[in-house]
Amino acid sequence: MASIPRRSDWKKDKYNISLLIFLYLLQSVPVGIAGSIPLIIQTYGTSWSQQAVFSFAFWPFSLKLIWAPIVDALYIKRYGRRKTWLIPVQYVTGLVMIVLSYHINDILLATKISANNQPHIYFLTLIFFCLSFLVATQDVCVDGWALSMLSRENIRWASTCTSVGQVAGYFLGNAVFLTLESKDFTNRYIRRPLNMEMQSIGLITLSGFLLFWGIIFIISTTLIALLKHEIDENYDLHEPHFGLIETYKVLLKIFRLPSIQSIAVILLTAKIGFAATDAMTGLELIERGVTRDSLALLAIPLIPLQIILPFLISKYTTGTKPLNIYIKSYPYRLVVGIIMAIFVYYTSKFQNYDKTFPWYYYTLAIFIYSIYQIFVCIMYVSQMAFCAQVSDPKIGGTYITLLNILSNLGNHWTSTTVLYAADYLTWKKCSLDSTQCETTIEEKNCQTLGGVCRPSIEPYFIEIIICTIAGIIWLLWKYQTIVHLQYLSISAWQIRNNRSKSQLLQKDDESSSVITA
């Protein structure tokens, strides 16, 4: 594949890189908050299938291609191609978070009281689905803006901005929130050392956290609207611009490209080997007595690593073969996933009599999780660098969104599938006489006699084995295809425009005169 002739110089775009990181951070905070909800409702006794229902709250990131061409093609020229959508979407996101902050406690209380009542899970899912829809639309804007905001020689820095910003934002919305929301953590490590009065709530609440970030959205969006202009962006005026209908037609042409069809299959199926590890490990640990604030604390030491690592590996992803490091990391990630499952299996052996866990348990957990996240980060940055490299700037927002949503869809359908399948792979037995607890009546009879219905084989471990085997088969199947895709010329990723060169130049001249006017 042809390389970019000019050498990357990040200092040239340091302010734009900073802005991109902030925008990706901003969009990931609501995603992080949504990611904390499964851990919260898991303590209410929700089933695997109910967790699968809530997983649909994240699906807008897999469906945004439906409206991405609209965002990419329709805009107010004087205001800016990206700001036309970015500003109102971020304002609405902020307002939704502020309104939700006044009602979220009542919604969660209703879900807790009726843990087995499916309508409450559907309502909770619908709320966060709408919030995800807004930030997914913001993501379309930012992805497209990155291609024109950065100079062409620095375009591969877009993947680093995405990785750093999203990791930091998810950390704030998930790990920081879950930690400071815990009354045990704040009483033990914050209030007691500061001689503050012990309280029955954490330092922050979900409602207060939503309100705070809703206000941040409003303020930052106002500043961007007033201070950031698109007129000076590094957008090539000689690239033809497609209208809405033409963009959808171009999208169909993109799908017909053999290269896109090959990468689509890869992105849709690559996560199958890690689905159980990614979707079920945290929930399984909560079932085994680990508190959700402890899970959040495990992520804190990893944040500096996850932020610094994209910069460290950028020299491997800014070349002509960014996917080399992707395929080298794949088998290691599978192996570490198995080690993580073994660690989860022996979790109960570490538990103290007072239901707490010793320091060396968390040290081992951090070590294993750190190794796993290193390979996750490497694969993500490598994939994003390749997507930015092959994206056609003529329809940059839609093109790169297509590749991103294929990856997101590959993640979401596998996660939802393993969560749904877990209920069908669960066989419970009564602790008194080892009789089956397959029905509600059998479970109540066991509890009446003073017993507890426990899974004879945890579905988590069954699915870890199935997914690992599937991952090995996948790697053997797609290894050569991934290697081959990197050797394709850039023209293999671009569609052919039926319009003549003279027509394009004429249209470009007209567009240029409008802009300069």
Side-chain angles (χ1 to χ4, degrees):
M1 184 166 53
S3 60
I4 294 176
R6 288 174 291 180
R7 188 176 180 181
S8 175
D9 180 14
W10 68 270
K11 294 181 180 179
K12 176 182 177 181
D13 289 320
K14 59 183 178 180
Y15 295 114
N16 286 332
I17 288 173
S18 300
L19 176 59
L20 284 174
I21 290 175
F22 175 74
L23 289 173
Y24 280 117
L25 180 150
L26 206 60
Q27 76 172 231
S28 298
V29 169
V31 179
I33 296 173
S36 69
I37 300 299
L39 301 179
I40 294 175
I41 63 177
Q42 184 70 13
T43 61
Y44 300 165
T46 55
S47 63
W48 289 113
S49 60
Q50 289 173 321
Q51 290 284 1
V53 169
F54 187 80
S55 70
F56 281 103
F58 303 96
W59 276 64
F61 284 91
S62 301
L63 303 174
K64 60 185 180 181
L65 188 63
I66 297 173
W67 63 91
I70 300 176
V71 175
D72 202 51
L74 300 182
Y75 63 96
I76 302 172
K77 188 175 298 185
R78 184 176 59 181
Y79 195 56
R81 186 174 187 179
R82 309 304 174 185
K83 287 177 64 178
T84 297
W85 290 91
L86 182 73
I87 301 305
V89 164
Q90 289 196 169
Y91 271 132
V92 173
T93 303
L95 291 174
V96 169
M97 295 178 72
I98 291 173
V99 173
L100 183 58
S101 68
Y102 291 99
H103 302 283
I104 188 63
N105 290 333
D106 293 334
I107 296 170
L108 287 177
L109 180 61
T111 305
K112 182 177 182 179
I113 294 174
S114 305
N116 294 320
N117 194 342
Q118 203 78 353
H120 290 288
I121 296 296
Y122 286 137
F123 183 58
L124 190 64
T125 302
L126 177 62
I127 293 172
F128 282 94
F129 182 92
C130 295
L131 191 59
S132 294
F133 172 82
L134 291 170
V135 295
T137 305
Q138 190 256 27
D139 187 47
V140 175
C141 300
V142 179
D143 284 344
W145 204 358
L147 295 178
S148 58
M149 186 185 295
L150 300 178
S151 55
R152 200 59 189 165
E153 63 267 28
N154 289 326
I155 195 64
R156 295 188 184 100
W157 276 95
S159 63
T160 303
C161 296
T162 304
S163 179
V164 173
Q166 290 183 348
V167 166
Y170 193 88
F171 167 71
L172 290 173
N174 190 273
V176 170
F177 161 69
L178 288 173
T179 301
L180 298 182
E181 184 261 354
S182 169
K183 65 180 180 63
D184 294 329
F185 175 85
T186 51
N187 284 336
R188 182 180 303 175
Y189 298 107
I190 297 179
R191 294 187 178 117
R192 184 177 298 169
L194 296 177
N195 294 321
M196 299 172 63
E197 182 181 354
M198 301 296 103
Q199 297 184 24
S200 59
I201 60 173
L203 196 64
I204 61 176
T205 62
L206 179 55
S207 58
F209 197 70
L210 284 166
L211 179 62
F212 171 79
W213 279 104
I215 294 174
I216 293 295
F217 260 88
I218 299 298
I219 295 175
S220 61
T221 303
T222 302
L223 292 175
I224 293 172
L226 295 176
L227 302 178
K228 183 63 179 175
H229 304 286
E230 291 188 58
I231 189 171
D232 294 325
E233 305 304 338
N234 301 292
Y235 186 70
D236 190 352
L237 296 178
H238 295 290
E239 296 285 4
H241 168 64
F242 297 101
L244 177 59
I245 303 300
E246 191 173 7
T247 300
Y248 278 106
K249 291 180 179 179
V250 168
L251 195 55
L252 292 177
K253 293 180 181 179
I254 293 175
F255 273 113
R256 295 192 185 103
L257 292 174
S259 57
I260 288 294
Q261 293 173 4
S262 296
I263 196 67
V265 174
I266 291 171
L267 295 176
L268 288 172
T269 57
K271 301 294 179 59
I272 193 170
F274 323 113
T277 303
D278 295 343
M280 300 176 68
T281 299
L283 301 176
E284 184 67 24
L285 285 172
I286 288 179
E287 284 292 310
R288 292 174 177 265
V290 181
T291 59
R292 60 177 186 258
D293 57 290
S294 297
L295 288 179
L297 286 173
L298 294 179
I300 292 179
L302 304 180
I303 298 306
L305 177 66
Q306 291 175 315
I307 292 177
I308 296 173
L309 191 60
F311 293 97
L312 296 179
I313 66 175
S314 61
K315 63 179 180 179
Y316 300 104
T317 60
T318 55
T320 58
K321 301 174 184 177
L323 291 180
N324 280 357
I325 195 171
Y326 181 96
I327 53 181
K328 290 179 180 178
S329 300
Y330 196 97
Y332 291 105
R333 184 173 170 184
L334 288 175
V335 172
V336 178
I338 296 173
I339 296 173
M340 190 179 297
I342 296 173
F343 175 76
V344 172
Y345 180 81
Y346 285 103
T347 288
S348 58
K349 305 293 184 182
F350 290 92
Q351 196 170 34
N352 297 321
Y353 69 92
D354 59 351
K355 303 299 182 182
T356 61
F357 291 87
W359 65 268
Y360 52 85
Y361 170 82
Y362 292 111
T363 302
L364 184 58
I366 291 173
F367 176 76
I368 296 174
Y369 189 59
S370 297
I371 300 300
Y372 185 78
Q373 285 301 313
I374 286 175
F375 293 115
V376 172
C377 185
I378 289 174
M379 292 178 65
Y380 177 76
V381 175
S382 172
Q383 175 188 303
M384 289 298 297
F386 181 77
C387 291
Q389 200 175 91
V390 301
S391 293
D392 190 342
K394 291 191 296 292
I395 48 168
T398 301
Y399 202 113
I400 199 169
T401 296
L402 165 63
L403 298 177
N404 287 341
I405 70 103
L406 288 172
S407 176
N408 290 332
L409 185 58
N411 179 52
H412 292 149
W413 82 260
T414 52
S415 297
T416 301
T417 299
V418 297
L419 289 171
Y420 266 120
D423 271 353
Y424 297 97
L425 296 174
T426 302
W427 295 280
K428 294 182 179 180
K429 291 184 179 181
C430 184
S431 60
L432 295 177
D433 53 9
S434 297
T435 57
Q436 296 294 323
C437 292
E438 299 298 331
T439 66
T440 305
I441 296 176
E442 291 175 342
E443 190 168 348
K444 287 183 178 179
N445 289 338
C446 178
Q447 294 173 352
T448 301
L449 296 174
V452 178
C453 286
R454 296 192 180 98
S456 54
I457 302 178
E458 290 284 355
Y460 169 72
F461 301 105
I462 297 175
E463 298 209 40
I464 286 289
I465 295 173
I466 295 173
C467 289
T468 301
I469 295 173
I472 295 172
I473 295 173
W474 183 91
L475 185 60
L476 295 174
W477 174 42
K478 285 298 176 184
Y479 181 88
Q480 290 298 331
T481 303
I482 295 175
V483 173
H484 171 71
L485 287 175
Q486 297 184 106
Y487 286 95
L488 296 177
S489 65
I490 198 67
S491 61
W493 301 92
Q494 296 177 341
I495 61 171
R496 293 184 178 181
N497 200 317
N498 294 326
R499 293 177 296 181
S500 67
K501 184 177 180 180
S502 60
Q503 288 175 316
L504 290 177
L505 291 176
Q506 182 180 0
K507 182 173 182 179
D508 292 340
D509 291 338
E510 293 173 357
S511 300
S512 300
S513 63
V514 172
I515 294 173
T516 54

